[in-house]
Amino acid sequence: MEWKATCPYNPKLDLKDCYLYDTTLRDGEQTPGICFTKEHKLDIAKKLDDMGVKQIEAGFPVVSASERDIIKTISSEGLNAEILALCRVVKDDIDKALECDVDGIITFIATSPMHLKYKLHKELDEVEQMGMDAIEYAKEHGLFVAFSAEDATRTPIEDILRIHKNAEEHGANRVHVADTVGCATPQAMHFICSELSNTLKKAHIGVHCHNDFGLAAINSIYGLMGGAKAVSTTINGLGERAGNAPLEEFVMTLKALYEHDMGLKTEKLKSLSQTVEEYSKIKLAENKPIVGNIVFYHESGIHVDAVLENPLTYEPVLPEVVGQERKIILGKHSGCKAVASRLMEQGIETDREHLWEIVKKTKETRESGVEITDNVFKNIVHQILDDKK
């Protein structure tokens, strides 16, 4: 059986050399209220590495001595993934990243008129020079360097192109289009990345999308369509305000809908999501796409009847592909096939008349406000079958 449902109108994406740089440990931890321990961060980093993530942004070294210790510990773990750290365009920030033995840095400064006027109180040419000086300094110390123009999606396109071309000429390995307040549409991300792709010769383009309007995953994909190579994600979509592009949604949208496999072990998605949920104490919605607890549960009789014959009738992918399990839930909307399936699981045989009575009693019990747990269902069955003896 096929592992996913297929829409014949979806385009296939011919993407080459695309990869993730996951920022759960940095931007994800900037979710208000989250503070990962050293053990938490190391465990998440190992799990990301085991899944096949190419780059892990491990933290922001200037934050504290403890943060630097954690980043250095992750760097010394011998992971396959490259370990990156975030730095302002400040020499001291880069020196602190060097103390952590990271493979590279993401250095950033805002470029939009809004941020220049109200946050930095500087002119764009001064900000640009600060960025170039930081790139040069980091490259002199042998680091991989990504340069991020913060609030790029509210920066005039001519400034984006000039600054990122300048960054490339100063040695930046990658330049980032940061949708800092999630205000770009997919078409805007495609346009910006296309223009950059036509301007740059060597540097990769990365996209860092926030999810304020629920567009981070699709904006990231449109960035790839426009020529980007790298995408910033977080597990469970953690991050400032509404969060960042959720790794699980982005990866599975690409894999299942656009038929581009990034080579990650997607069967580990649910487990990793649960780990991050536990450590962050940010509880997921039960129906969170891909990793929510109930997204492969079925109750409606019409759905269950079909799912029992072929799960893809009502599942976009098979649950095991993302480390999930299918479950048939008994309740108000249950039909005969669902109840018969549950009876069979419990080794109970009955005739059609009794089956109908069990279905009816199951519906009535749920409508009375009682959840149909295994024990409740067993009591219903025994009550009906014992009464008929």
Side-chain angles (χ1 to χ4, degrees):
M1 182 170 58
E2 181 60 78
W3 64 273
K4 66 183 178 71
T6 302
C7 172
Y9 312 110
N10 289 346
K12 294 181 181 179
L13 292 186
D14 183 20
L15 303 174
K16 296 179 181 178
D17 305 321
C18 295
Y19 56 97
L20 296 182
Y21 64 100
D22 188 82
T23 185
T24 303
L25 302 182
R26 198 277 301 171
D27 209 336
E29 193 185 31
Q30 287 178 207
T31 306
I34 293 181
C35 182
F36 292 127
T37 67
K38 181 177 183 178
E39 291 72 24
H40 291 165
K41 278 199 170 190
L42 184 58
D43 189 35
I44 293 169
K46 287 178 178 179
K47 285 179 165 64
L48 285 167
D49 184 63
D50 184 50
M51 184 181 285
V53 171
K54 301 298 183 185
Q55 291 183 334
I56 298 170
E57 189 178 357
F60 197 173
V62 77
V63 165
S64 68
S66 175
E67 179 83 337
R68 291 191 290 280
D69 175 61
I70 293 170
I71 297 169
K72 187 166 185 175
T73 299
I74 294 172
S75 297
S76 66
E77 193 63 28
L79 303 180
N80 292 318
E82 292 181 318
I83 306 303
L84 308 182
L86 185 72
C87 298
R88 296 169 300 176
V89 289
V90 176
K91 180 177 177 292
D92 185 58
D93 279 30
I94 297 170
D95 287 339
K96 284 182 167 55
L98 288 166
E99 291 174 19
C100 300
D101 298 327
V102 294
D103 299 299
I105 64 165
I106 297 172
T107 188
F108 72 98
I109 194 164
T111 56
S112 71
M114 172 77 74
H115 279 229
L116 291 172
K117 182 177 181 179
Y118 294 106
K119 185 181 77 171
L120 297 179
H121 307 290
K122 296 180 184 295
E123 297 298 321
L124 182 59
D125 57 353
E126 182 183 357
V127 162
E128 183 174 352
Q129 188 58 53
M130 291 169 64
M132 300 312 113
D133 291 345
I135 294 168
E136 280 191 344
Y137 184 72
K139 292 305 295 182
E140 287 171 1
H141 288 79
L143 293 171
F144 168 95
V145 177
F147 173 75
S148 186
E150 188 184 9
D151 208 25
T153 55
R154 293 193 291 179
T155 300
I157 189 64
E158 61 271 18
D159 293 334
I160 294 176
L161 298 180
R162 185 193 70 257
I163 292 169
H164 283 148
K165 180 65 177 173
N166 199 5
E168 179 185 61
E169 290 172 352
H170 278 77
N173 304 91
R174 189 169 72 218
V175 297
H176 290 170
V177 178
D179 189 21
T180 299
V181 293
C183 63
T185 62
Q187 292 77 13
M189 289 300 296
H190 185 276
F191 168 72
I192 295 169
C193 290
S194 294
E195 292 294 302
L196 274 174
S197 184
N198 291 331
T199 301
L200 303 177
K201 290 183 170 57
K202 296 185 297 182
H204 284 180
I205 300 164
V207 291
H208 177 81
C209 299
H210 279 265
N211 207 33
D212 296 79
F213 291 91
L215 297 174
I218 193 62
N219 278 353
S220 298
I221 290 170
Y222 267 69
L224 293 178
M225 292 167 65
K229 293 289 188 184
V231 172
S232 170
T233 62
T234 59
I235 297 295
N236 297 341
L238 294 179
E240 300 271 2
R241 301 179 315 281
N244 293 28
L247 183 150
E248 58 281 354
E249 295 176 28
F250 167 74
V251 167
M252 289 309 301
T253 298
L254 268 188
K255 182 174 181 175
L257 305 186
Y258 288 99
E259 298 192 26
H260 177 78
D261 192 337
M262 298 197 82
L264 301 183
K265 299 173 184 175
T266 60
E267 68 276 8
K268 297 181 180 290
L269 283 172
K270 176 62 176 177
S271 174
L272 180 51
S273 169
Q274 289 176 315
T275 296
V276 173
E277 181 181 28
E278 176 188 347
Y279 293 165
S280 68
K281 297 182 173 60
I282 302 292
K283 187 163 179 58
L284 294 186
E286 292 287 286
N287 61 345
K288 167 82 163 64
I290 309 300
V291 293
N293 288 333
I294 67 169
V295 295
F296 291 97
Y297 285 13
H298 307 277
E299 180 183 327
S300 172
I302 296 171
H303 288 208
V304 171
D305 289 0
V307 165
L308 290 173
E309 292 199 31
N310 185 327
L312 294 179
T313 52
Y314 284 102
E315 291 175 352
V317 299
L318 297 181
E320 54 267 27
V321 173
V322 296
Q324 291 264 46
E325 292 183 357
R326 181 182 307 110
K327 190 170 182 179
I328 305 302
I329 300 298
L330 298 181
K332 172 182 176 179
H333 306 94
S334 295
C336 285
K337 285 193 177 180
V339 173
S341 175
R342 184 63 62 86
L343 290 170
M344 188 178 301
E345 289 175 5
Q346 296 181 358
I348 299 172
E349 294 184 8
T350 186
D351 57 33
R352 190 155 188 82
E353 178 185 352
H354 291 153
L355 175 61
W356 274 108
E357 290 190 39
I358 294 169
V359 171
K360 181 181 177 183
K361 185 64 175 177
T362 297
K363 290 174 177 284
E364 291 173 350
T365 301
R366 187 67 190 95
E367 288 179 316
S368 73
V370 177
E371 183 181 352
I372 309 300
T373 63
D374 285 345
N375 285 335
V376 169
F377 182 67
K378 287 177 182 177
N379 289 336
I380 291 171
V381 172
H382 288 307
Q383 178 186 337
I384 290 173
L385 295 185
D386 290 346
D387 285 348
K388 297 297 181 179
K389 287 182 179 178

